[in-house]
Amino acid sequence: MHEMSLAENIRQIIEEAGCRQGFGRVRTVILEVGALAAVEPESLRFCFDLVMKDSIADGARLQIDSVPGQGQCLQCGKTVPVAALYDPCPCCGCYEVQATLGTGMRVRELEIE
Amino acid sequence: MCNVCGCGAGEARIEGQSLQPGHAGGGLMAYRRLRSRNERQHLPADSRWVAVGSPVAPSGEKPLGESEASLLPSAAPAGLIHYGQGAAGGEVPGMSQARMVRIEQDILGRNNVHAARNRAWLAVRGILALNLVSSPGSGKTSLLVRTIEALRTRIPLAVVEGDQQTSFDAERIRATGAPALQINTGKGCHLDARMVEQALEKLSPVEESVVLIENVGNLVCPAAFDLGEAAKVVVLSVTEGEDKPLKYPDMFAAARLMLLNKVDLLPYLSFDVDKALDFARRVNPGLEIICLSATTGSGFSAWLDWIEARRRETLALRHSAPLTCNLPSGPESHADRC
Ligand SMILES: Nc1nc2c(ncn2[C@@H]2O[C@H](COP(=O)(O)OP(=O)(O)OP(=O)(O)O)[C@@H](O)[C@H]2O)c(=O)[nH]1
Ligand SMILES: [Mg+2]
Ligand SMILES: [Zn+2]
Ligand SMILES: [Zn+2]
Ligand SMILES: [Zn+2]
């Protein structure tokens, strides 16, 4: 459901870039999606194919590069990898880890013709 | 569907009326691509776009033919913002005719632009906005009604209600005497910043008031959509089970405050309060928590104090720094009203 509005936003970003830079077709769309960004890649792929119909990225391949989650432990101060928001700190075992990386998502690159 | 941010304008309604197609409130225009496919190669970049709702191509009319299209003036009104222009352009030559173009744009960038505008609009007026999120039925409207009844003699309050359908919740709020506006999101499962932008304009809350936004009952995607609020307040009710913060971590991570509601029912349930609070703090170590009941009013004074503290911060900010609304001044920009 929410992946649908993300796909709509992606289409808009692509069409605007196409308008600005004057390119025609898009072959590949490369996204960066944080592991903590609450996006389901399979659901996003499904919505992507639907939403790109009749756009310059109709039929484009979608590449989703995952960005690993990272956080800072408020107890031991270390920067640690975070796979899920409720994971404990791998160093000290406490749960006071504040996510700092891997929460966002962006369109990084397009392969165009 | 909003062509600018995909935020579902075709579906969403405010008080039964469709959302405006463009972004009339912000000097930003919605753009619609002309249909003809082969014109892409022939037209200069600007003329491929026409403003939706402009006299040359009202949305909903039949698409313009190629020859008509080429006669269109390039649509570049002064208020137009092209986001991320600076970031694009680094091109890497590739094999055959294919090449790579760097885009580097946040997928939620559109929403965030609307949200930032809402935040500025609220800040210059000293209005505190809170975004209440929860699963359906955890007691958001009941909490709002009781909150308004407790505060309304001291603080002006207004409510923005988000639901997929019906205006029941706005009617419940209006029964208290407070102004309320209903947004129906149709198929949409969350409020976005653009809907709230239009709702704020219609509602026009008084300066230094408190605006309470009740989001669509959904523990998933409202977490991802900043509305321009000062804080998200997540409501969890004790009938939902203590594992919700782990099952839906994003919402609890995005919130500043959690209200544990319906504590009057604890004697009848096996809900483990300490466990629920521990789970919530695992997800968000900085989360503030208040346990209360919208039915009996127990715990309410802590919640009302919390609102007043946030309001004092908003007012202090307004009176310390002379905030200016440095927004693009298009014909219908927010700047007119700042
Ligand atoms: N016992 C008890 N019931 C409550 C409490 N708060 C709300 N309820 C009941 O829970 C039900 C749902 O409350 P609402 O206030 O409509 O919940 P909501 O979160 O606004 O629901 P949606 O807008 O549909 O997502 C109603 O029957 C309320 O009377 C509470 O503190 N204790
Ligand atoms: Mg409600
Ligand atoms: Zn640690
Ligand atoms: Zn928009
Ligand atoms: Zn949603």
Side-chain angles (χ1 to χ4, degrees), chain A residues 53-79:
Chain A
K53 284 261 174 302
D54 298 323
S55 78
I56 58 172
D58 194 342
R61 196 172 69 84
L62 178 63
Q63 177 182 328
I64 302 178
D65 288 356
S66 178
V67 177
Q70 207 175 71
Q72 180 156 32
C73 176
L74 304 181
Q75 285 298 323
C76 69
K78 291 209 174 77
T79 299

Side-chain angles (χ1 to χ4, degrees), chain B residues 134 136-142 144 161-163 168-170 172 214-215 217:
Chain B
S134 82
S138 58
K140 298 179 293 300
T141 311
S142 307
L144 290 184
E161 279 291 342
D163 287 293
F168 294 165
D169 281 0
R172 283 167 70 188
E214 178 177 338
N215 217 311

Side-chain angles (χ1 to χ4, degrees), chain B:
Chain B
M1 184 76 64
C2 161
N3 281 336
V4 171
C5 65
C7 43
E11 297 284 347
R13 297 184 158 256
I14 294 182
E15 294 291 321
Q17 293 191 317
S18 290
L19 261 71
Q20 296 150 35
H23 293 194
L28 172 70
M29 305 285 286
Y31 276 65
R32 178 167 73 82
R33 185 154 202 140
L34 290 175
R35 291 278 153 159
S36 171
R37 278 216 176 199
N38 45 2
E39 78 198 17
R40 246 172 239 143
Q41 274 70 37
H42 311 302
L43 292 176
D46 273 351
S47 58
R48 286 190 227 136
W49 298 81
V50 290
V52 169
S54 78
V56 289
S59 61
E61 267 193 27
K62 76 170 172 56
L64 295 168
E66 212 172 318
S67 54
E68 293 163 278
S70 59
L71 294 173
L72 291 177
S74 76
L80 170 67
I81 316 161
H82 256 304
Y83 300 99
Q85 215 152 16
E91 295 168 21
V92 185
M95 303 146 55
S96 66
Q97 309 114 312
R99 61 194 172 109
M100 302 302 290
V101 183
R102 286 202 87 79
I103 300 289
E104 314 258 357
Q105 280 197 53
D106 189 329
I107 294 173
L108 290 174
R110 289 289 169 198
N111 184 72
N112 294 342
V113 168
H114 290 279
R117 208 151 53 193
N118 291 347
R119 195 162 275 123
W121 193 93
L122 292 161
V124 291
R125 290 166 179 76
I127 298 172
L128 169 69
L130 300 174
N131 178 3
L132 274 85
V133 292
S134 82
S135 47
S138 58
K140 298 179 293 300
T141 311
S142 307
L143 283 164
L144 290 184
V145 167
R146 193 166 191 122
T147 304
I148 291 164
E149 283 165 355
L151 290 179
R152 62 171 318 191
T153 55
R154 277 178 289 155
I155 302 174
L157 295 115
V159 171
V160 176
E161 279 291 342
D163 287 293
Q164 286 197 318
Q165 300 297 346
T166 84
S167 51
F168 294 165
D169 281 0
E171 284 154 22
R172 283 167 70 188
I173 300 293
R174 284 188 202 116
T176 68
L181 199 106
Q182 182 76 51
I183 301 176
N184 286 134
T185 57
K187 292 200 184 73
C189 42
H190 56 264
L191 291 179
D192 67 38
R194 195 187 63 104
M195 298 173 186
V196 170
E197 183 178 333
Q198 295 192 9
L200 287 173
E201 275 172 41
K202 285 210 163 147
L203 193 60
S204 55
V206 299
E207 296 199 357
E208 312 207 336
S209 61
V210 174
V211 173
L212 300 165
I213 304 167
E214 178 177 338
N215 217 311
V216 178
N218 171 356
L219 264 183
V220 186
C221 45
F225 292 83
D226 182 8
L227 306 179
E229 72 275 351
K232 286 193 176 71
V233 176
V234 62
V235 183
L236 175 66
S237 62
V238 296
T239 49
E240 295 170 64
E242 51 277 275
D243 54 3
K244 285 293 169 300
L246 296 188
K247 286 183 172 167
Y248 302 96
D250 300 296
M251 193 62 88
F252 292 84
R256 169 164 175 182
L257 173 70
M258 172 171 122
L259 297 177
L260 184 66
N261 189 32
K262 309 196 187 180
V263 293
D264 58 293
L265 298 177
L266 282 172
Y268 313 101
L269 304 165
S270 57
F271 185 91
D272 185 338
V273 173
D274 290 338
K275 203 160 150 191
L277 305 193
D278 176 51
F279 285 165
R281 289 197 175 104
R282 282 191 195 185
V283 170
N284 180 352
L287 188 66
E288 298 170 66
I289 298 174
I290 296 170
C291 300
L292 46 59
S293 164
T295 299
T296 66
S298 84
F300 244 70
S301 60
W303 159 234
L304 301 178
D305 290 348
W306 190 90
I307 295 176
E308 298 222 43
R310 299 294 79 73
R311 180 161 180 263
R312 278 195 298 277
E313 288 166 5
T314 306
L315 297 182
L317 206 69
R318 184 188 198 204
H319 296 299
S320 66
L323 288 161
T324 48
C325 198
N326 54 346
L327 298 164
S329 45
E332 295 166 308
S333 146
H334 276 277
D336 304 343
R337 291 174 291 132
C338 292

Side-chain angles (χ1 to χ4, degrees), chain A residues 5-47:
Chain A
S5 41
L6 298 183
E8 296 284 355
N9 288 5
I10 294 167
R11 172 174 169 148
Q12 187 65 33
I13 288 169
I14 293 170
E15 298 244 280
E16 272 193 20
C19 157
R20 234 173 14 238
Q21 305 188 20
F23 52 77
R25 289 207 69 77
V26 176
R27 278 192 196 175
T28 311
V29 176
I30 305 174
L31 307 182
E32 265 179 18
V33 176
L36 307 174
V39 176
E40 207 39 72
E42 278 326 299
S43 163
L44 184 56
R45 277 180 200 289
F46 177 76
C47 297

